[in-house]
Amino acid sequence: MKVGNIKLLNYCHYIFFFLFLLIGLNIYKDYGFNIDETFQRRSGLYWLNYLAEIFKIDSLSNVTSEKLKVINDFTMPWAEKDKAYSIIFDVPAALLEIFLNLREPIEFYQLRHLLTFLYFFIGTIFFYKLLMNRFGNRFISLLGCLLLIITPRLFGEIFHNNKDIIFLSFFIIACYYYFQTIDNEKIKNILLFSFFSAICTSLRFFGFVFPILFLSIYLLSSLSKKEDLIKINQIFIYLFFYIVFLILHWPYLWSDPFQNLVNHFSNLSIFGSPVIYFNGEFYNTKFLPYYYLPLWILISTPVLNIVLFLSGFFIVSKKLIFKLLDVEKNTSNYDFWNNNDEKKDFFITLLFLVFFIGGTFFSVKHYNSWRVFYFLNFFIIYFSIYFINYQFLLKTKKYLKIFTSIIIVMAVFNLTKIITYHPYQSLYFSALTTTQFKNKFEIDFTGLSGIEFLREIVNVNDKSKIYIGVNSWYPLWRMKELLPEFDKKRIVFVFDDINKADYVYSNKIFNVNIKKSNKFKLNENFKIYKQRKIDDLIIYEVHKKLK
């Protein structure tokens, strides 16, 4: 290989991440604003105010107090349970908003979109480092990052979803430091693993799985290798600092750590709509069918990812099953792994099974689609890369060129879908789904289209007052503050009698079964004015009152 080519390979990861950063910085302002963002911004200001008062930073306390006074609306009552969210994203976002002296609401949320992207950007760097740690191949590690990034639904989320994407990013980092701990059991690695495990726990209760599995794998090691018993001090160090970091970085726990933690997890099922439209039927969120999560994954994940994932997961599972069936032979070493790489695969497999089985068969609250479980994309790509490494780099390179060509073609297809759906990639459905089938599911469940609708209405209608009604379970009025001052004054939302509205917007998200309820039924004075479609998906629809 020529010297120039070798140098290029040595720098290809820098080029890859630079291009990704460049793309993100150029498009982050294109995306709509979801219904959680106002709430999360207030959470950040609330906790920043709390910290400023504790540490006697009067100037910061005064600014946050003033901002909190004007952020309320009648759809956002501020209860004790609402204060439990992690501060790891919202407080830095609030602090930057104040430091940069941002004045306009649209600037607040565009900043949050940029930060969401940057958190994920850092997460992908750690994903690259994790894959390099496990497979030691720069090409397939970058391929793994590429497959993660161009997963269309995930690509759309990285610019506005400051809950699930932030959790995914820290989840990747925590897994990386567990890999580091396996390779080198230094105190530094254990502390970093405990720190990021704690952050994951404050972001999502799923983070509690890290200490449980860490302890479980230690016990499995000790059963077959007695000398590992002396490493119990590492378990104590990890658990101790996990608890310390959990409390230190989560102010909600400061007053009463145990009780507040219990209160938080017992309140998780309160949030969200009581019903979900799934596969053409309305379900109570407490009684969703067992195939809810698997079906959502299948219909909203690219075929390429699914095929590679299933292939890799099958190979890893087969190895583990054979080891389980042949325990006696392996008791001289480890029960389920012969080296550190196999131990890492065992950890990832066990982690995936816990989350997937838990999300499928147990009463985990689903908030529309599978967004709470978007972090499962980490496992989908991990096992995909495992298959590529095993089949085409370790086993045989006979069909590597053909396989590479297929990967390129399907990756280009994913990219075309990202362009087609822009800026609604987070509503993507697989090419295998028919138009009729994919419209049997909730589409714009976070209300990303709301601001697009308002901007269009103020442009096509020159009336001094435009009366807007909302015929879905969605607080469209929160988007009004993102308009220029002149247009804000023109938009008037109708709450008491929707028949007074000039236009009625609906993103077709409901909190009742509309097959049995007339709550969202419009009278004959309104006719369909517009349906916003992408790839035959109805994103939202607008009705206009007849003159």
Side-chain angles (χ1 to χ4, degrees):
M1 187 179 287
K2 295 181 179 179
V3 174
N5 291 338
I6 294 174
K7 286 184 177 180
L8 182 63
L9 284 174
N10 289 336
Y11 291 102
C12 62
H13 54 299
Y14 293 110
I15 297 170
F16 175 89
F17 286 110
F18 174 75
L19 290 175
F20 179 39
L21 180 63
L22 205 60
I23 292 169
L25 294 177
N26 276 278
I27 67 174
Y28 76 92
K29 291 183 179 180
D30 295 352
Y31 290 82
F33 304 88
N34 73 55
I35 56 175
D36 289 333
E37 293 192 78
T38 305
F39 180 91
Q40 294 304 133
R41 175 174 172 254
R42 181 172 64 176
S43 177
L45 289 169
Y46 172 85
W47 285 114
L48 185 58
N49 176 262
Y50 177 86
L51 294 171
E53 289 181 354
I54 284 182
F55 295 105
K56 309 296 183 185
I57 309 174
D58 294 336
S59 58
L60 187 59
S61 176
N62 293 335
V63 173
T64 51
S65 294
E66 288 303 312
K67 283 179 172 287
L68 283 168
K69 288 177 183 178
V70 297
I71 201 172
N72 265 328
D73 75 36
F74 64 90
T75 62
M76 292 199 305
W78 190 236
E80 190 65 31
K81 61 181 172 57
D82 301 320
K83 301 174 184 177
Y85 284 103
S86 174
I87 69 166
I88 208 69
F89 177 87
D90 294 325
V91 166
L95 190 61
L96 271 175
E97 176 186 320
I98 293 169
F99 177 76
L100 296 173
N101 196 29
L102 302 182
R103 300 288 185 181
E104 294 300 320
I106 195 165
E107 294 177 329
F108 307 154
Y109 297 109
Q110 286 178 343
L111 170 66
R112 295 176 68 85
H113 288 193
L114 174 60
L115 284 177
T116 304
F117 167 71
L118 291 176
Y119 272 65
F120 180 75
F121 177 76
I122 294 169
T124 56
I125 292 174
F126 275 91
F127 190 52
Y128 170 78
K129 289 163 67 73
L130 180 146
L131 294 177
M132 279 293 292
N133 175 288
R134 169 59 185 88
F135 301 106
N137 184 294
R138 184 174 285 121
F139 171 74
I140 64 169
S141 297
L142 285 177
L143 177 60
C145 292
L146 179 65
L147 290 176
L148 186 71
I149 292 167
I150 66 171
T151 299
R153 191 165 278 251
L154 200 63
F155 185 88
E157 297 286 334
I158 66 176
F159 295 100
H160 66 86
N161 187 336
N162 48 57
K163 288 182 182 177
D164 307 301
I165 293 302
I166 304 305
F167 176 74
L168 168 63
S169 303
F170 280 101
F171 184 86
I172 291 170
I173 298 172
C175 288
Y176 169 74
Y177 280 111
Y178 180 69
F179 278 21
Q180 289 289 92
T181 301
I182 290 174
D183 290 333
N184 191 331
E185 295 164 341
K186 285 183 179 178
I187 296 296
K188 170 191 164 186
N189 290 330
I190 295 173
L191 290 179
L192 285 168
F193 178 48
S194 64
F195 176 68
F196 288 106
S197 300
I199 290 177
C200 287
T201 305
S202 69
L203 286 164
R204 289 280 187 225
F205 74 94
F206 300 130
F208 271 121
V209 174
F210 280 118
I212 294 170
L213 286 195
F214 189 64
L215 178 59
S216 300
I217 290 176
Y218 164 76
L219 293 174
L220 281 174
S221 297
S222 302
L223 285 174
S224 59
K225 198 171 183 181
K226 302 303 180 186
E227 55 266 34
D228 277 0
L229 282 170
I230 63 172
K231 298 179 181 178
I232 195 169
N233 63 310
Q234 296 173 2
I235 300 298
F236 286 129
I237 292 171
Y238 170 80
L239 292 176
F240 174 77
F241 281 99
Y242 169 79
I243 294 169
V244 169
F245 288 138
L246 187 65
I247 295 172
L248 278 180
H249 93 278
W250 198 0
Y252 175 71
L253 301 183
W254 290 359
S255 60
D256 189 345
F258 179 76
Q259 188 57 53
N260 285 352
L261 198 61
V262 171
N263 291 342
H264 173 53
F265 292 127
S266 63
N267 287 329
L268 288 174
S269 61
I270 294 174
F271 300 97
S273 172
V275 298
I276 284 179
Y277 185 60
F278 172 74
N279 199 19
E281 298 292 337
F282 286 90
Y283 290 91
N284 185 306
T285 52
K286 295 179 181 178
F287 303 106
L288 291 169
Y290 289 135
Y291 60 88
Y292 180 88
L293 179 59
L295 182 59
W296 258 117
I297 293 173
L298 284 173
I299 65 177
S300 61
T301 304
V303 177
L304 172 65
N305 298 22
I306 294 294
V307 171
L308 292 176
F309 159 71
L310 291 175
S311 302
F313 183 71
F314 172 77
I315 294 171
V316 174
S317 300
K318 186 175 71 171
K319 285 186 175 182
L320 291 176
I321 290 170
F322 284 164
K323 284 182 180 294
L324 184 62
L325 295 175
D326 198 18
V327 169
E328 185 177 344
K329 180 181 177 181
N330 289 285
T331 51
S332 60
N333 200 336
Y334 286 99
D335 287 343
F336 296 100
W337 55 85
N338 295 319
N339 53 51
N340 283 351
D341 284 344
E342 289 189 3
K343 188 175 183 179
K344 294 167 188 175
D345 295 336
F346 177 79
F347 170 74
I348 295 297
T349 304
L350 197 56
L351 205 57
F352 169 72
L353 289 173
V354 167
F355 291 131
F356 184 75
I357 293 171
T360 302
F361 297 106
F362 294 90
S363 57
V364 176
K365 179 71 177 283
H366 290 277
Y367 302 97
N368 315 100
S369 81
W370 58 297
R371 59 186 175 129
V372 173
F373 284 90
Y374 277 166
F375 68 96
L376 293 183
N377 281 286
F378 163 82
F379 299 100
I380 292 173
I381 303 304
Y382 183 91
F383 286 112
S384 297
I385 295 304
Y386 181 95
F387 171 72
I388 294 170
N389 181 70
Y390 175 83
Q391 189 66 37
F392 297 100
L393 297 183
L394 299 181
K395 194 174 181 181
T396 177
K397 296 185 179 181
K398 185 177 180 181
Y399 302 105
L400 182 58
K401 289 184 178 179
I402 297 174
F403 179 75
T404 302
S405 300
I406 294 172
I407 291 284
I408 292 172
V409 169
M410 297 191 78
V412 169
F413 181 76
N414 285 358
L415 285 170
T416 61
K417 285 296 183 181
I418 286 174
I419 295 169
T420 300
Y421 275 81
H422 187 75
Y424 296 109
Q425 293 96 339
S426 48
L427 313 181
Y428 163 86
F429 279 83
S430 166
L432 296 181
T433 56
T434 64
T435 299
Q436 182 181 7
F437 184 71
K438 58 191 173 187
N439 280 294
K440 289 182 177 182
F441 298 82
E442 292 180 334
I443 309 300
D444 185 21
F445 44 82
T446 57
L448 293 175
S449 62
I451 188 63
E452 177 187 301
F453 160 71
L454 291 179
R455 285 169 175 164
E456 181 177 328
I457 286 299
V458 296
N459 285 331
V460 301
N461 193 307
D462 57 3
K463 291 169 62 177
S464 60
K465 297 292 181 183
I466 307 171
Y467 293 89
I468 304 293
V470 182
N471 196 41
S472 57
W473 195 64
Y474 168 57
L476 178 64
W477 43 90
R478 292 183 193 170
M479 301 300 116
K480 180 179 174 179
E481 66 172 347
L482 304 176
L483 295 172
E485 197 61 39
F486 174 73
D487 290 327
K488 286 181 195 176
K489 296 176 181 178
R490 296 173 61 208
I491 294 291
V492 179
F493 282 99
V494 176
F495 299 107
D496 55 339
D497 184 2
I498 201 169
N499 294 312
K500 296 178 182 177
D502 299 316
Y503 301 91
V504 176
Y505 164 94
S506 176
N507 63 343
K508 303 177 76 65
I509 304 298
F510 308 107
N511 63 338
V512 296
N513 184 343
I514 60 170
K515 294 180 180 181
K516 298 178 179 179
S517 171
N518 292 325
K519 179 180 179 180
F520 294 100
K521 185 176 182 180
L522 288 175
N523 65 37
E524 295 179 354
N525 292 331
F526 291 92
K527 295 297 179 184
I528 193 73
Y529 169 73
K530 176 184 178 179
Q531 282 188 331
R532 175 72 157 96
K533 292 183 178 181
I534 296 179
D535 200 27
D536 294 321
L537 277 174
I538 300 174
I539 309 298
Y540 69 90
E541 62 183 21
V542 182
H543 284 78
K544 185 177 181 180
K545 185 165 64 177
L546 298 175
K547 292 183 179 179

